[in-house]
């Protein structure tokens, strides 16, 4: 929540990590030692930084879910364009019901993902914002990994070749399961909200002696 100029004394960076599938996102360690900036660099009023950074994380989680939808659409369109053209057994690959079912499942996951990330985006800044962002971050990147793998499978051996770009989508989708709160950390957030909800429900009686000893 404080803007630090890249040339600020005391700020330094480690060497760039080798990131084969996302060169667009340069990645390295960042070190700060006795960095001093002017008060003008404080972005949010003092005392609101933590709240602001948590909100920023929620926005990032929803953005990742939205990006995953683009990734899924791209994988689906590649698989459709390929299988509608690939001749086999006197017809086209896309004529096979099994292939339609595989791609149909990807399409359903994509529609569900779009609804979820949009609902999470609408909830940003409300008390439901963090858990809705966690739902989106938990569900959508998982669906994207599945979609990228399924669509690769539909292309058969060609799916592994670079020009079709499917391998890159798979690795990118996996990366999106990790950044800005892993799938597991999203589950932790969701689990805590379930515990809160459980507290608001009337307790169900448990028979005396059940499960004791
Ligand atoms: C491309 C990229 C960009 C990044 N950009 C940034 C950035 O800008 N700023 C920044 O600060 N960080 C950044 N990161 C780091 C990223 O936030 C972390 O990699 C991520 O939060 C996971 O932390 P970790 O790698 O230390 O994994 P670990 O914390 O070591 O976790 C290892 C595994 O254990 C699981 N795990 C952890 N806790 C639990 C639990 N309670 N229950 C069950 N499983 C659990 C995790 O989900 C994971 O699968 C970036 C990472 C990548 C790959």
């Amino acid at each position: 929540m404080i803007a630090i100029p890249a040339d600020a004394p005391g700020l330094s960076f480690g060497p760039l990590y080798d990131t084969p599938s996302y060169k667009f996102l340069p990645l390295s360690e960042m070190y700060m030692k006795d960095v001093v900036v002017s008060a003008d660099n404080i972005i949010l009023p003092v005392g609101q930084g933590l709240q602001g950074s948590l909100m920023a994380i929620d926005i990032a989680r929803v953005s990742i879910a939205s990006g995953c939808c683009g990734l899924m659409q791209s994988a689906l369109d590649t698989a459709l364009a390929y299988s509608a053209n690939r001749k086999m057994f006197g017809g086209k690959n896309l004529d096979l019901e099994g292939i339609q079912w595989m791609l149909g499942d990807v399409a359903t996951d994509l529609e569900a993902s779009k609804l979820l990330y949009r609902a999470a985006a609408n909830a940003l800044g409300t008390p439901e914002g963090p858990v809705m962002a966690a739902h989106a971050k938990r569900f959508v990147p998982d669906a994207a990994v599945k979609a990228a793998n399924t669509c690769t499978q539909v292309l058969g051996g060609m799916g592994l070749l670079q020009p079709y770009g499917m391998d890159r989508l798979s690795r990118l989708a996996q990366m999106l399961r990790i950044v800005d709160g892993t799938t597991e950390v999203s589950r932790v957030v969701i689990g805590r909200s379930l515990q809160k909800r459980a507290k608001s429900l009337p307790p169900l009686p448990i028979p005396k002696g059940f499960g004791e000893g």
Side-chain angles (χ1 to χ4, degrees), residues 19 22 25 27 175 178-185 188:
T19 52
Y22 37 91
L25 190 63
L27 195 66
M175 183 268 270
I178 291 173
V179 287
D180 284 318
T182 61
T183 313
E184 294 71 32
V185 165
V188 170

Side-chain angles (χ1 to χ4, degrees), residues 7-198:
D7 58 358
L11 180 68
S12 62
F13 299 91
L16 282 183
Y17 282 112
D18 189 9
T19 52
S21 38
Y22 37 91
K23 293 242 180 273
F24 61 90
L25 190 63
L27 195 66
S28 75
E29 303 288 328
M30 182 173 79
Y31 308 105
M32 283 179 278
K33 187 165 171 22
D34 301 330
V35 177
V36 176
V37 294
S38 108
D40 294 345
N41 291 33
I42 299 174
I43 296 169
L44 287 181
V46 172
Q48 291 181 24
L50 178 62
Q51 200 188 349
S53 56
L54 291 176
M55 172 83 176
I57 277 273
D58 290 340
I59 294 172
R61 288 177 180 170
V62 176
S63 309
I64 284 181
S66 111
C68 281
C69 289
L71 188 154
M72 291 164 85
Q73 187 73 66
S74 172
L76 181 59
D77 286 350
T78 302
L80 286 173
Y82 183 88
S83 63
N85 204 26
R86 163 82 166 126
K87 292 192 194 99
M88 49 165 54
F89 312 121
K92 297 285 169 64
N93 180 276
L94 191 56
D95 297 334
L96 299 172
E97 201 175 50
I99 297 290
Q100 291 173 15
W101 286 13
M102 286 163 80
L103 296 181
D105 284 353
V106 172
T108 306
D109 279 358
L110 174 55
E111 292 307 321
S113 298
K114 284 190 208 163
L115 290 173
L116 185 53
Y117 98 73
R118 285 171 189 161
N122 283 330
L124 284 171
T126 73
E128 290 300 300
V131 75
M132 285 302 291
H135 281 306
K137 183 68 176 59
R138 207 296 290 156
F139 181 85
V140 183
D142 269 5
V145 166
K146 209 163 100 191
N149 287 340
T150 301
C151 293
T152 301
Q153 189 75 11
V154 166
L155 266 72
M158 292 296 139
L160 304 171
L161 301 186
Q162 215 169 15
Y164 296 99
M166 303 302 282
D167 178 51
R168 183 174 157 272
L169 291 183
S170 290
R171 282 182 289 153
L172 209 47
Q174 175 56 43
M175 183 268 270
L176 294 171
R177 291 182 80 224
I178 291 173
V179 287
D180 284 318
T182 61
T183 313
E184 294 71 32
V185 165
S186 300
R187 287 195 170 100
V188 170
V189 175
I190 294 165
R192 283 184 192 147
S193 102
L194 292 180
Q195 283 178 319
K196 241 191 232 167
R197 176 160 174 79

